[in-house]
Coordinates of all heavy atoms in Angstrom, one line a residue:
M1 N 69.3 87.9 94.1 CA 68.7 88.1 92.8 C 69.7 87.7 91.7 O 70.8 88.0 91.8 CB 68.3 89.6 92.7 CG 67.6 89.9 91.3 SD 66.8 91.5 91.3 CE 65.5 91.1 92.4
A2 N 69.2 87.1 90.7 CA 70.0 86.6 89.6 C 70.6 87.7 88.8 O 70.0 88.7 88.6 CB 69.2 85.6 88.7
K3 N 71.8 87.5 88.3 CA 72.5 88.5 87.5 C 71.7 88.7 86.2 O 71.3 87.7 85.6 CB 73.9 88.0 87.2 CG 74.7 89.0 86.3 CD 76.1 88.4 86.1 CE 76.9 89.4 85.3 NZ 78.2 89.0 85.0
G4 N 71.5 89.9 85.8 CA 70.8 90.2 84.6 C 69.3 90.2 84.6 O 68.7 90.6 83.7
K5 N 68.8 89.8 85.8 CA 67.3 89.8 85.9 C 66.8 91.2 86.2 O 67.4 92.0 87.0 CB 66.9 88.9 87.1 CG 65.5 88.7 87.2 CD 65.1 87.6 88.2 CE 63.6 87.7 88.3 NZ 62.9 86.6 88.8
R6 N 65.7 91.6 85.6 CA 65.1 92.9 85.8 C 64.7 93.1 87.2 O 64.1 92.2 87.8 CB 63.9 93.1 84.9 CG 63.4 94.5 84.9 CD 62.3 94.6 83.9 NE 62.7 94.5 82.5 CZ 63.2 95.5 81.8 NH1 63.3 96.7 82.2 NH2 63.6 95.3 80.5
V7 N 65.0 94.3 87.8 CA 64.7 94.6 89.2 C 63.5 95.5 89.2 O 63.5 96.6 88.7 CB 65.9 95.3 89.9 CG1 65.6 95.5 91.3 CG2 67.2 94.5 89.7
T8 N 62.4 95.0 89.8 CA 61.2 95.8 89.9 C 60.5 95.8 91.3 O 60.9 94.9 92.1 CB 60.1 95.3 88.9 OG1 59.8 93.9 89.2 CG2 60.6 95.4 87.4
G9 N 59.6 96.7 91.5 CA 58.8 96.6 92.7 C 59.6 96.7 94.0 O 60.6 97.6 94.1
A10 N 59.3 95.9 95.0 CA 59.9 95.9 96.3 C 61.4 95.6 96.2 O 62.2 96.1 97.0 CB 59.2 95.0 97.2
A11 N 61.8 94.7 95.3 CA 63.2 94.3 95.1 C 64.0 95.6 94.7 O 65.1 95.8 95.1 CB 63.3 93.2 94.1
R12 N 63.4 96.4 93.8 CA 64.1 97.6 93.3 C 64.3 98.6 94.5 O 65.3 99.2 94.6 CB 63.4 98.2 92.2 CG 64.1 99.4 91.6 CD 63.3 100.0 90.4 NE 63.9 101.1 89.8 CZ 64.7 101.1 88.8 NH1 64.9 100.0 88.1 NH2 65.2 102.3 88.3
D13 N 63.2 98.7 95.3 CA 63.2 99.6 96.4 C 64.3 99.2 97.4 O 65.1 100.0 97.9 CB 61.9 99.7 97.1 CG 60.8 100.3 96.3 OD1 61.1 101.0 95.3 OD2 59.6 100.1 96.6
Q14 N 64.4 97.9 97.6 CA 65.4 97.4 98.6 C 66.8 97.6 98.0 O 67.7 98.0 98.7 CB 65.2 95.9 98.9 CG 66.2 95.3 99.9 CD 66.1 96.0 101.2 OE1 65.0 96.2 101.8 NE2 67.2 96.5 101.7
L15 N 67.0 97.3 96.7 CA 68.3 97.5 96.1 C 68.7 99.0 96.1 O 69.9 99.3 96.5 CB 68.3 97.0 94.6 CG 69.6 97.2 93.9 CD1 70.7 96.4 94.5 CD2 69.4 96.7 92.4
T16 N 67.8 99.9 95.9 CA 68.1 101.3 96.0 C 68.5 101.7 97.4 O 69.5 102.4 97.5 CB 66.8 102.1 95.5 OG1 66.5 101.8 94.2 CG2 67.1 103.6 95.6
A17 N 67.8 101.2 98.4 CA 68.2 101.5 99.8 C 69.6 101.0 100.1 O 70.4 101.7 100.7 CB 67.1 100.9 100.7
D18 N 69.9 99.8 99.6 CA 71.2 99.2 99.9 C 72.3 100.0 99.2 O 73.3 100.3 99.8 CB 71.3 97.8 99.4 CG 70.4 96.8 100.2 OD1 70.0 97.2 101.3 OD2 70.1 95.7 99.7
V19 N 72.0 100.4 97.9 CA 73.0 101.1 97.1 C 73.3 102.5 97.8 O 74.4 102.9 97.9 CB 72.5 101.3 95.7 CG1 73.3 102.3 94.9 CG2 72.6 99.9 95.0
V20 N 72.2 103.2 98.2 CA 72.4 104.5 98.8 C 73.2 104.4 100.1 O 74.1 105.2 100.3 CB 71.0 105.2 99.0 CG1 71.1 106.4 99.9 CG2 70.3 105.5 97.7
K21 N 72.9 103.4 100.9 CA 73.6 103.2 102.2 C 75.1 103.0 101.9 O 75.9 103.6 102.6 CB 72.9 102.1 102.9 CG 73.5 101.8 104.3 CD 72.8 100.7 105.0 CE 73.5 100.5 106.4 NZ 72.9 99.4 107.1
E22 N 75.4 102.1 101.0 CA 76.8 101.8 100.7 C 77.5 103.0 100.1 O 78.6 103.3 100.5 CB 76.8 100.6 99.7 CG 76.4 99.3 100.4 CD 76.3 98.2 99.4 OE1 77.0 98.2 98.3 OE2 75.5 97.3 99.6
Y23 N 76.9 103.7 99.2 CA 77.5 104.9 98.6 C 77.7 106.0 99.7 O 78.8 106.6 99.7 CB 76.6 105.5 97.5 CG 77.3 106.5 96.7 CD1 78.3 106.2 95.7 CD2 77.0 107.9 96.8 CE1 78.9 107.2 95.0 CE2 77.6 108.9 96.1 CZ 78.6 108.5 95.2 OH 79.2 109.5 94.5
D24 N 76.7 106.2 100.5 CA 76.9 107.2 101.6 C 78.0 106.7 102.6 O 78.6 107.6 103.2 CB 75.6 107.4 102.4 CG 74.6 108.2 101.6 OD1 75.0 108.9 100.6 OD2 73.4 108.2 102.0
G25 N 78.2 105.4 102.6 CA 79.3 104.9 103.5 C 80.7 105.0 102.9 O 81.7 104.6 103.5
G26 N 80.8 105.5 101.6 CA 82.1 105.7 101.0 C 82.4 104.8 99.9 O 83.5 104.9 99.2
A27 N 81.6 103.8 99.6 CA 81.9 102.9 98.5 C 81.7 103.6 97.1 O 81.0 104.5 97.0 CB 80.9 101.7 98.5
T28 N 82.5 103.1 96.2 CA 82.4 103.7 94.8 C 81.2 103.0 94.1 O 80.8 101.9 94.4 CB 83.7 103.4 94.0 OG1 83.8 102.0 93.8 CG2 84.9 104.0 94.7
I29 N 80.8 103.7 93.0 CA 79.7 103.2 92.2 C 80.1 101.9 91.6 O 79.4 100.9 91.6 CB 79.3 104.2 91.1 CG1 78.6 105.4 91.7 CG2 78.3 103.5 90.1 CD1 78.3 106.5 90.7
R30 N 81.4 101.8 91.1 CA 81.9 100.6 90.5 C 81.9 99.4 91.5 O 81.6 98.3 91.1 CB 83.3 100.9 89.9 CG 83.4 100.6 88.5 CD 84.7 101.0 87.9 NE 84.6 102.2 87.1 CZ 83.9 102.3 86.0 NH1 83.2 101.3 85.5 NH2 83.9 103.4 85.3
S31 N 82.4 99.7 92.7 CA 82.4 98.6 93.7 C 81.0 98.1 94.1 O 80.8 96.9 94.3 CB 83.2 99.0 94.9 OG 82.6 100.0 95.6
I32 N 80.1 99.0 94.1 CA 78.7 98.6 94.5 C 78.1 97.8 93.3 O 77.5 96.8 93.6 CB 77.8 99.9 94.7 CG1 78.3 100.6 96.0 CG2 76.4 99.5 94.9 CD1 77.7 102.0 96.1
A33 N 78.4 98.2 92.1 CA 77.9 97.5 90.9 C 78.4 96.1 90.9 O 77.7 95.1 90.7 CB 78.2 98.2 89.7
E34 N 79.7 96.0 91.2 CA 80.3 94.6 91.2 C 79.8 93.8 92.3 O 79.5 92.6 92.1 CB 81.8 94.8 91.4 CG 82.6 93.5 91.2 CD 84.1 93.8 91.3 OE1 84.6 94.7 90.6 OE2 84.8 93.1 92.0
K35 N 79.6 94.3 93.5 CA 79.1 93.6 94.6 C 77.7 93.0 94.3 O 77.3 91.9 94.7 CB 79.0 94.5 95.8 CG 78.5 93.8 97.1 CD 78.4 94.7 98.3 CE 77.7 94.0 99.4 NZ 77.6 94.9 100.5
H36 N 76.8 93.8 93.7 CA 75.4 93.4 93.5 C 75.2 92.8 92.1 O 74.1 92.5 91.7 CB 74.5 94.7 93.6 CG 74.4 95.2 95.1 ND1 73.6 94.6 96.0 CD2 75.1 96.2 95.7 CE1 73.8 95.2 97.2 NE2 74.7 96.2 97.0
H37 N 76.3 92.6 91.3 CA 76.2 92.0 90.0 C 75.3 92.8 89.1 O 74.4 92.3 88.4 CB 75.8 90.6 90.1 CG 76.6 89.7 90.9 ND1 77.9 89.4 90.6 CD2 76.4 89.2 92.2 CE1 78.4 88.7 91.6 NE2 77.5 88.6 92.6
R38 N 75.4 94.1 89.2 CA 74.6 95.1 88.3 C 75.6 95.9 87.6 O 76.7 96.0 87.9 CB 73.7 95.9 89.2 CG 72.7 95.1 90.0 CD 71.7 94.6 89.1 NE 71.0 93.4 89.6 CZ 70.3 92.6 88.9 NH1 70.1 92.8 87.7 NH2 69.8 91.5 89.5
S39 N 75.0 96.6 86.6 CA 75.9 97.5 85.8 C 76.1 98.8 86.5 O 75.4 99.3 87.4 CB 75.2 97.8 84.4 OG 74.1 98.6 84.6
Y40 N 77.2 99.5 86.1 CA 77.6 100.8 86.6 C 76.4 101.8 86.3 O 76.0 102.5 87.2 CB 78.8 101.3 85.9 CG 79.2 102.7 86.3 CD1 80.2 102.9 87.3 CD2 78.7 103.8 85.7 CE1 80.6 104.2 87.6 CE2 79.1 105.1 86.0 CZ 80.0 105.3 87.0 OH 80.4 106.5 87.3
G41 N 75.8 101.7 85.1 CA 74.7 102.6 84.7 C 73.5 102.4 85.6 O 72.9 103.4 86.0
L42 N 73.2 101.2 86.0 CA 72.0 101.0 86.8 C 72.2 101.6 88.2 O 71.4 102.3 88.7 CB 71.6 99.5 87.0 CG 70.5 99.2 88.0 CD1 69.2 99.8 87.5 CD2 70.4 97.8 88.2
V43 N 73.4 101.3 88.8 CA 73.7 101.9 90.1 C 73.7 103.4 90.1 O 73.1 104.0 90.9 CB 75.1 101.3 90.6 CG1 75.5 102.0 91.9 CG2 75.0 99.8 90.8
H44 N 74.3 104.0 89.0 CA 74.3 105.4 88.9 C 72.9 105.9 88.8 O 72.5 106.9 89.4 CB 75.1 105.8 87.6 CG 75.3 107.3 87.4 ND1 74.4 108.1 86.9 CD2 76.4 108.1 87.8 CE1 74.8 109.3 86.8 NE2 76.0 109.3 87.4
H45 N 72.1 105.3 88.0 CA 70.7 105.7 87.8 C 69.9 105.6 89.1 O 69.1 106.5 89.5 CB 70.0 104.8 86.7 CG 68.6 105.2 86.4 ND1 68.3 106.3 85.7 CD2 67.4 104.7 86.8 CE1 67.0 106.4 85.6 NE2 66.4 105.4 86.3
L46 N 70.1 104.5 89.9 CA 69.4 104.4 91.2 C 69.8 105.5 92.1 O 68.9 106.0 92.8 CB 69.7 103.0 91.8 CG 69.2 101.8 91.1 CD1 69.7 100.5 91.8 CD2 67.6 101.8 91.1
L47 N 71.1 105.9 92.1 CA 71.5 106.9 93.0 C 70.9 108.3 92.6 O 70.5 109.0 93.5 CB 73.1 107.0 93.0 CG 73.8 105.9 93.7 CD1 75.3 105.9 93.4 CD2 73.5 105.9 95.2
T48 N 70.9 108.6 91.3 CA 70.4 109.9 90.9 C 68.9 109.9 91.1 O 68.3 110.9 91.4 CB 70.7 110.2 89.4 OG1 70.3 109.1 88.6 CG2 72.2 110.4 89.3
E49 N 68.2 108.8 90.9 CA 66.8 108.6 91.1 C 66.4 108.9 92.6 O 65.4 109.5 92.9 CB 66.3 107.2 90.7 CG 64.9 107.1 90.3 CD 64.7 105.7 89.8 OE1 64.8 104.7 90.6 OE2 64.3 105.5 88.7
A50 N 67.3 108.5 93.5 CA 67.2 108.7 94.9 C 67.6 110.1 95.4 O 67.6 110.4 96.5 CB 67.9 107.6 95.7
K51 N 68.0 110.9 94.4 CA 68.5 112.3 94.6 C 69.7 112.4 95.5 O 69.8 113.3 96.4 CB 67.3 113.1 95.2 CG 66.1 113.1 94.4 CD 65.5 114.4 94.2 CE 64.1 114.5 93.5 NZ 64.0 113.8 92.2
V52 N 70.6 111.4 95.4 CA 71.9 111.4 96.1 C 72.8 112.4 95.4 O 72.9 112.3 94.2 CB 72.5 110.0 96.2 CG1 73.9 110.0 96.8 CG2 71.5 109.1 96.9
T53 N 73.5 113.2 96.1 CA 74.6 114.0 95.5 C 75.8 113.2 95.3 O 76.4 112.6 96.2 CB 74.9 115.2 96.5 OG1 73.7 116.0 96.7 CG2 76.0 116.1 95.9
L54 N 76.2 113.1 94.0 CA 77.3 112.2 93.7 C 78.6 112.9 93.9 O 78.7 114.1 93.8 CB 77.2 111.8 92.2 CG 75.9 111.0 91.8 CD1 76.0 110.8 90.3 CD2 75.8 109.8 92.6
R55 N 79.6 112.2 94.3 CA 80.9 112.7 94.6 C 81.7 112.9 93.3 O 81.4 112.3 92.3 CB 81.8 111.7 95.4 CG 81.2 111.5 96.8 CD 82.1 110.6 97.7 NE 82.3 109.3 97.1 CZ 81.6 108.2 97.5 NH1 80.6 108.4 98.4 NH2 81.8 107.0 97.1
G56 N 82.7 113.8 93.3 CA 83.5 114.0 92.1 C 84.4 112.7 91.9 O 84.5 111.8 92.7
R57 N 85.0 112.7 90.7 CA 85.8 111.5 90.3 C 87.1 111.4 91.1 O 87.6 110.3 91.3 CB 86.1 111.5 88.9 CG 84.9 111.2 88.0 CD 85.2 111.2 86.6 NE 86.2 110.2 86.3 CZ 86.7 110.0 85.1 NH1 86.3 110.7 84.1 NH2 87.6 109.1 84.9
G58 N 87.6 112.5 91.6 CA 88.8 112.5 92.4 C 90.0 112.2 91.6 O 90.0 112.4 90.4
G59 N 91.1 111.8 92.3 CA 92.3 111.5 91.6 C 93.2 112.7 91.5 O 92.7 113.8 91.8
P60 N 94.4 112.5 91.0 CA 95.3 113.7 90.9 C 94.9 114.6 89.8 O 94.3 114.2 88.8 CB 96.7 113.1 90.6 CG 96.3 111.7 90.0 CD 95.0 111.3 90.6
I61 N 95.2 115.9 90.0 CA 94.9 116.9 89.0 C 96.0 116.9 87.9 O 97.2 116.8 88.2 CB 94.9 118.3 89.6 CG1 93.8 118.4 90.6 CG2 94.7 119.4 88.5 CD1 93.8 119.7 91.5
R62 N 95.5 116.8 86.6 CA 96.4 116.7 85.5 C 97.0 118.2 85.2 O 96.2 119.1 85.2 CB 95.8 116.2 84.3 CG 95.4 114.8 84.5 CD 94.6 114.3 83.2 NE 94.1 113.0 83.5 CZ 94.3 111.9 82.6 NH1 94.9 112.1 81.5 NH2 93.8 110.8 82.9
R63 N 98.2 118.2 85.0 CA 98.8 119.5 84.7 C 99.3 119.5 83.2 O 99.7 118.4 82.7 CB 100.0 119.8 85.6 CG 99.6 119.9 87.0 CD 100.7 120.4 87.9 NE 100.3 120.4 89.3 CZ 99.7 121.3 89.9 NH1 99.4 122.5 89.3 NH2 99.5 121.2 91.2
A64 N 99.3 120.7 82.6 CA 99.7 120.7 81.2 C 101.2 120.5 81.1 O 102.0 120.8 82.0 CB 99.4 122.1 80.7
A65 N 101.6 119.8 80.1 CA 103.0 119.5 79.9 C 103.8 120.8 79.7 O 103.4 121.8 79.1 CB 103.2 118.6 78.6
A66 N 105.0 120.8 80.3 CA 105.8 122.1 80.3 C 106.5 122.3 79.0 O 106.8 121.5 78.2 CB 106.8 122.0 81.4

């Protein structure tokens, strides 16, 4: 599917299935968006629409300066 082209119908269903499978496999939203040439927002929306529990952002915990 061409970059920037609206995703509807069966193509959207297939993209959602692919995105959910990759996210459940451990991929990040950003990496999935890059792979499919879609925006972070669309991938995030597809995951929430599919009722996927999103992971936390992770990374080190910031501590207050001493």
Side-chain angles (χ1 to χ4, degrees):
M1 180 165 292
K3 181 179 180 178
K5 185 172 175 165
R6 188 174 295 272
V7 185
T8 60
R12 184 181 178 98
D13 295 340
Q14 183 60 52
L15 179 60
T16 300
D18 292 344
V19 165
V20 168
K21 182 177 179 183
E22 291 172 27
Y23 189 76
D24 285 344
T28 64
I29 295 176
R30 236 172 256 296
S31 68
I32 295 168
E34 188 175 312
K35 177 181 175 186
H36 291 280
H37 306 288
R38 297 291 155 194
S39 70
Y40 176 97
L42 175 65
V43 173
H44 185 278
H45 183 76
L46 292 174
L47 289 169
T48 56
E49 207 173 60
K51 306 226 186 307
V52 172
T53 301
L54 300 178
R55 297 187 295 267
R57 289 182 57 181
I61 296 172
R62 296 177 186 229
R63 298 191 186 269

